[in-house]
Amino acid sequence: MDFNSHNDGVVLVAVGLVNALTPGERRGRPFPVPADLPAAATEGLRNGYPNHREVGESDAGELAEVAERLRVVFEAVSSGDVDTAAGQVNRLLDESRARPRLDRHDGEPWHLHFHGPGGTLAGDWAASCATGLAIVLGSEFHDRLGVCTAPHCDRVYVDVSRNGTRRFCSTPCQNRVKTAAFRARTRTP
C-alpha cells in the first residue's frame, strides 16, 4: 500500500517542470527555452498528473520561474550540498505560504493539497512542489534527487529504483553512455 501517492505525483511534477521549462542540454543536444511555453508547462504538469488541464500563457511564464527555482534544489542535491537544497525549499515554502489542507473537488474523494484555496496555478504548484521536495529532503532518501550524469545532458530525475543507483534522466541517456563506453573498449589501438 502506498500512502504517499499524492506526494509522489507532486515530486514527479517538480521533475517534469524543471525538464520541460528550463534551458540547458538534453540527450546530447542543446535544450533552449521552449517556443511554446504553455505546451511545455502542460507537459511538465502532466508528468505527475496525466489529466492536468492545459496551461495558459501567463501561467506558463510563472511556472517557468518556479521551475528555475526548483532546478536549484536538484543541482544542489546532485553536488552533495543538501544545505543549499533545503534553504531553497524553505524559501519556496515561505514565499508560497505552503500549508496542508484536505480538499474535495471535481468528483474526487478528500485528498491532501499543499496550498490553500484561491491561489494562482503557479503559486499552488510552487507550494506543492516545495512541500513534496521538503518531504524527500527530510527523509533518508534525500539523495534520490539528481541531475543526469550523461555528457551534454542536465535534465533532472528522482530515483525510485530499489537500490538507489540511478544516474541518468532517461533510458536514451543511459544507452548513449553505455554505447560510448563499449565503443571505447572495443576500439583497436
Side-chain angles (χ1 to χ4, degrees):
M1 180 170 288
D2 181 6
F3 286 107
N4 288 321
S5 62
H6 180 63
N7 191 61
D8 294 348
V10 167
V11 172
L12 288 175
V13 165
V15 168
L17 291 174
V18 171
N19 287 343
L21 295 172
T22 61
E25 296 179 298
R26 180 175 74 178
R27 298 181 186 158
R29 295 189 171 95
F31 186 81
V33 173
D36 187 351
L37 212 52
T42 301
E43 173 190 335
L45 293 173
R46 288 181 178 168
N47 192 56
Y49 291 91
N51 296 321
H52 198 282
R53 67 176 172 82
E54 291 190 17
V55 175
E57 190 72 40
S58 65
D59 288 328
E62 291 177 28
L63 283 167
E65 292 173 17
V66 169
E68 287 287 343
R69 298 185 67 199
L70 294 171
R71 175 174 276 288
V72 171
V73 176
F74 288 90
E75 289 175 345
V77 171
S78 188
S79 69
D81 189 358
V82 179
D83 292 343
T84 295
Q88 179 74 341
V89 166
N90 281 336
R91 281 186 290 283
L92 281 166
L93 289 167
D94 289 342
E95 292 168 16
S96 65
R97 296 185 311 232
R99 59 202 173 281
R101 175 185 173 89
L102 286 171
D103 205 353
R104 183 171 59 189
H105 56 83
D106 302 326
E108 295 180 19
W110 287 101
H111 57 280
L112 187 62
H113 279 211
F114 298 126
H115 55 82
T120 65
L121 180 72
D124 290 352
W125 278 111
S128 294
C129 290
T131 303
L133 292 174
I135 291 169
V136 173
L137 290 176
S139 77
E140 69 271 22
F141 301 113
H142 68 274
D143 59 348
R144 298 292 186 106
L145 303 176
V147 178
C148 187
T149 60
H152 306 292
C153 187
D154 64 0
R155 302 297 90 187
V156 303
Y157 61 87
V158 60
D159 183 353
V160 295
S161 69
R162 188 174 292 230
N163 61 6
T165 58
R166 183 171 174 180
R167 297 181 14 229
F168 305 104
C169 67
S170 63
T171 302
C173 275
Q174 180 179 353
N175 290 344
R176 278 190 314 112
V177 170
K178 286 183 175 183
T179 300
F182 173 78
R183 288 179 180 156
R185 282 192 314 272
T186 59
R187 215 175 273 139
T188 53

